[in-house]
Amino acid sequence: MGQRGGGAVTGPPAEPVSPARMRLVSTAEAAQPDGARRMPDLGGKTLRQALEALEPLRVEVRLAGQGRVFRQVPAAGDPLEPGAVARLTLTASGGTR
C-alpha cells in the first residue's frame, strides 16, 4: 500500500496586513469670517462629534471621562491661540455644561 503525500495548499502570496487608520474629516470652518479661530460649543456632543469639530482647528485635545462632552476649556466662543489645548470632560449622563 502506497502512502499518499499530504501536499501543501498553495496560492498567491499573502499581502501584509497594515493596522487600520482613521482620519477624522470635518466640514466645519477652521476660522470665523473675521479670521479669528474660536472654540466651538461642544456641550452635549459625542467624543467623535467633538473631535470632528476640533480637527480643522489643529488644537491638542485632553480628555477626561466617557460619553458626551459635559465641560470644555476654553469656553465656547473663546479665541484659540496657536498651540491651544482643549480640555474636554465627558460624562455618560449626557448632561451639558
Side-chain angles (χ1 to χ4, degrees), residues 44-48 50 64-70 89-94:
K45 295 193 182 300
T46 65
L47 175 58
R48 181 178 297 252
Q66 295 179 358
R68 293 184 176 264
V69 177
F70 174 72
T89 304
L90 295 93
T91 182
S93 67

Side-chain angles (χ1 to χ4, degrees), residues 6-50:
V9 176
T10 61
E15 293 183 24
V17 177
S18 61
R21 294 177 191 252
M22 180 187 309
R23 176 171 168 80
L24 297 176
V25 178
S26 175
T27 58
E29 292 295 321
Q32 300 299 315
D34 64 1
R37 295 179 335 137
R38 299 197 181 277
M39 183 70 169
D41 184 359
L42 303 173
K45 295 193 182 300
T46 65
L47 175 58
R48 181 178 297 252
Q49 291 168 329

Side-chain angles (χ1 to χ4, degrees), residues 58-69:
R58 306 282 190 238
V59 297
E60 181 179 337
V61 180
R62 297 205 180 141
L63 303 169
Q66 295 179 358
R68 293 184 176 264
V69 177

